[in-house]
Amino acid sequence: MTDEIDSLLQRYVDDRDALTPDELAEFTEHLRQSATLRERLRDQLVMHELICQRLAVDRGNFPAQVEQRLRDLNGAGDLASEVEAQVQGMQQLASEEWDHWAEKRDVGKRRLRRVLLGLAAAAAIALVCGYLGFESYGPVARLQSVEGPVMLVRDGKQVAARPEMWIYGGDKLTTTLGAAWELRYHTDGSLLSGRGDGDIAFVGGRRDSKQIVLNYGDVTADAKPQPTGKPMRFLSPQGEAVVVGTKLHFLATSDVSRLDVEHGKVLLRRLTGDGSEQLIETGRFGRISDDQLATGVTLWPMERFGLVVDGRFDNTANMQLRLTRPVEAELIPRGDVQARPGRLQLDGGAYQLSPFAADAVVERCQAANAVSVELWLRPDKDFKPERSTLLACGPEDQPNLEIWAEDDAILMRLATGNGESSQQKPVRLGALPAGRWSHLAVAYGNGRLICYVDGRQTLSRTWPGDLSTWSPGYFMIGDAWRGDGSQAWTGEIGALAVYERPLSIHEAFRNWRRLQTATQP
Amino acid sequence: MTDRYDDDFEQLVRGTQIRIRAYIAGMGIASHEVDDVAQDVYIEYFRNEEKRPQDVEPERWLKGIARNLCLNRFRRSARRARLHHEAIGEMLAEANSTADRLVSGKAVEHALDSCLEKLDDQQHQLLEMRYRDELASKSIAETLDSTAEAIRVALYRLRASLRDCMDATLARENV
């Protein structure tokens, strides 16, 4: 195959509209003449599709899309039936009026005709208005899935939400711990989902309304490209986000609203103060508080699903706890530690996660029988410990999970059992070079333990037992609970997250690449 | 239309969707349109299931519907040179390739995942940028300080490499 034909094929696979008409004619002729070329093209197109199905964020759960299409078609049938019923009602009314007037002998025929014509005109107008109105005003979305305590509030009345319930303008969803829901907008298939504690109101009466008031809670939207003049909008106590067509996460507490744009563009606007606004683009966040609208690159976390705690250390040592409504979980400093812009610096001291948050980590991971820990860290250049504790979770004498450094190696012990307590042997996760930022991700779930260092798998083995033997205790970063500093880990930690599910290889690679690109040397 | 979505139809969708979507893509339908066409295929099947001859397997019937819908889409398209796109679609509908044979296997997803894990960092990065972040070759080239042509060549080779890896994996597992 010549280079020229190669190039045509590669450009065609890359973009079906990339070839000029002359090039397309030439390429078509080559295809006619060569079965081999046809096979190679089909190979490339099929492989392209298979990879898309696995990696593209919007290609998942195709069966659910088919089911929804069928239900939408059924729903349209129901709506048409209602319109038809209205038409029949009008016809019946006109017919009854005709009978009534026809019986009245003292009513002149001329007057009778005028009245009947008026009725017919009124019925026709009512029919048109009813049809148009019915088409313009109606449900805005439909619940696709509901788990846990999700309540639908309408006209002051509250019912337990169920899948396939319609959502109308004026409705509200109230949710508490353990709740999860997803809905699909009627007109364009945009998705909106939420977890945990939340209060979400839907405003606007028209079927194409996509205006959401997020009083508090955490929602994720996967919005199709929005029609001009009718974008999806989020309102929170502090700000407004206008969505053009994107995938985003919007979180609101009583003090702060934060928008992370995973894909696309969203206009974020302050509702108080100077009313300033910012266009937040892919991979960036906007954060509105009482006094400002700040933006930056979203380094962390890249994925909220299954996230229990995460820490972005922007001048403060705080973790975000995601059990009920998102709340701050304090990191209690001990000894020689310091919170710097974008990192925690540990020089022989340690941080302790607040007891409530520490217990929540154990409880959530134990319930899910899965845990992942993710760290972005840089050991000190001259750091060569015999043994130093990087992270420990659980009772002091028998941690549920412990990660420590020995020379330049990172080791871990994960406690699992079968009804009675048992400890697994330590395993070597890999090497973390001193003086250099590294990404460490450990994932346990489905009976398997996997570790990734800088996006590359360094360990994968079956891991018997489960997390039923886990106990509440301490969550320590940098040293053991009773550590005196002699075995403390020294270096910097840029980010830390704990999940109640196993991270995938793609997440580990993606997160490492983003952190590596965005971290200042 | 009967208001039902029974288990049999759901099983059919789940059991055939990878192959039907791949078949549609293999006819030259653009990636962002594949799922729309595929949904139309299943809707059409569902609406007119009684028209399927008893001796024709459901998947073969689905592919027949898919072929017709793809060709109709080319014909209705306002794109320039639509006749050529239609001609290419007709030729590809009749072509058979190694990837088609792979897709017909039961463990194709597992094989692809296994082969994806064997890629090096650069290859991972390229796939993530192209397929997850949906960046055009030109944008990827700018980011990686390369040329669009070099990126297309790299992607071409990567897809071929993954196909070979999947072929070997499935052969080893006798699937």
Side-chain angles (χ1 to χ4, degrees), chain A residues 109-171:
Chain A
K109 286 187 179 178
R110 208 166 160 183
R111 187 178 171 196
L112 174 64
R113 275 197 216 104
R114 277 206 299 271
V115 169
L116 289 176
L117 278 172
L119 280 173
I125 291 169
L127 171 64
V128 171
C129 289
Y131 180 78
L132 286 176
F134 201 85
E135 282 298 302
S136 299
Y137 293 92
V140 299
R142 198 168 195 179
L143 282 167
Q144 303 294 293
S145 63
V146 174
E147 287 176 29
V150 180
M151 304 303 289
L152 174 65
V153 183
R154 180 178 299 160
D155 298 329
K157 295 176 186 167
Q158 189 169 266
V159 297
R162 295 188 314 275
E164 299 185 35
M165 270 184 163
W166 290 105
I167 302 292
Y168 289 80
D171 286 353

Side-chain angles (χ1 to χ4, degrees), chain B residues 102 115 162-174:
Chain B
L102 296 177
C115 293
L162 282 170
R163 177 207 60 208
D164 293 341
C165 174
M166 288 171 68
D167 200 12
T169 301
L170 290 170
R172 260 199 315 274
E173 296 174 4
N174 288 321

Side-chain angles (χ1 to χ4, degrees), chain A residues 16 54-55 57 74 80 103 116 142 252 356 374 440 467 486 491:
Chain A
R16 308 295 178 278
R54 292 310 280 167
L55 297 184
V57 295
N74 272 338
E103 286 174 8
L116 289 176
R142 198 168 195 179
F356 174 69
E374 197 175 9
L440 175 68
L467 303 187
S486 60

Side-chain angles (χ1 to χ4, degrees), chain A residues 87-234:
Chain A
V87 170
Q88 288 176 352
M90 291 295 174
Q91 289 174 342
Q92 178 68 20
L93 180 62
S95 174
E96 286 169 359
E97 291 294 337
W98 168 273
D99 291 339
H100 171 75
W101 285 106
E103 286 174 8
K104 298 285 184 182
R105 292 191 180 192
D106 56 341
V107 175
K109 286 187 179 178
R110 208 166 160 183
R111 187 178 171 196
L112 174 64
R113 275 197 216 104
R114 277 206 299 271
V115 169
L116 289 176
L117 278 172
L119 280 173
I125 291 169
L127 171 64
V128 171
C129 289
Y131 180 78
L132 286 176
F134 201 85
E135 282 298 302
S136 299
Y137 293 92
V140 299
R142 198 168 195 179
L143 282 167
Q144 303 294 293
S145 63
V146 174
E147 287 176 29
V150 180
M151 304 303 289
L152 174 65
V153 183
R154 180 178 299 160
D155 298 329
K157 295 176 186 167
Q158 189 169 266
V159 297
R162 295 188 314 275
E164 299 185 35
M165 270 184 163
W166 290 105
I167 302 292
Y168 289 80
D171 286 353
K172 182 192 275 198
L173 289 178
T174 60
T175 60
T176 53
L177 170 67
W181 55 272
E182 181 178 82
L183 59 82
R184 177 185 293 269
Y185 277 90
H186 192 70
T187 48
D188 67 357
S190 294
L191 297 172
L192 185 70
S193 60
R195 281 178 174 266
D197 217 11
D199 185 307
I200 304 100
F202 302 87
V203 297
R206 293 181 61 89
R207 283 158 60 104
D208 54 3
S209 290
K210 287 191 286 292
Q211 299 191 71
I212 303 108
V213 177
L214 184 63
N215 292 309
Y216 60 84
D218 193 347
V219 296
T220 296
D222 191 349
K224 304 293 183 191
Q226 298 293 289
T228 306
K230 292 180 186 175
M232 177 183 276
R233 286 176 190 271
F234 290 89

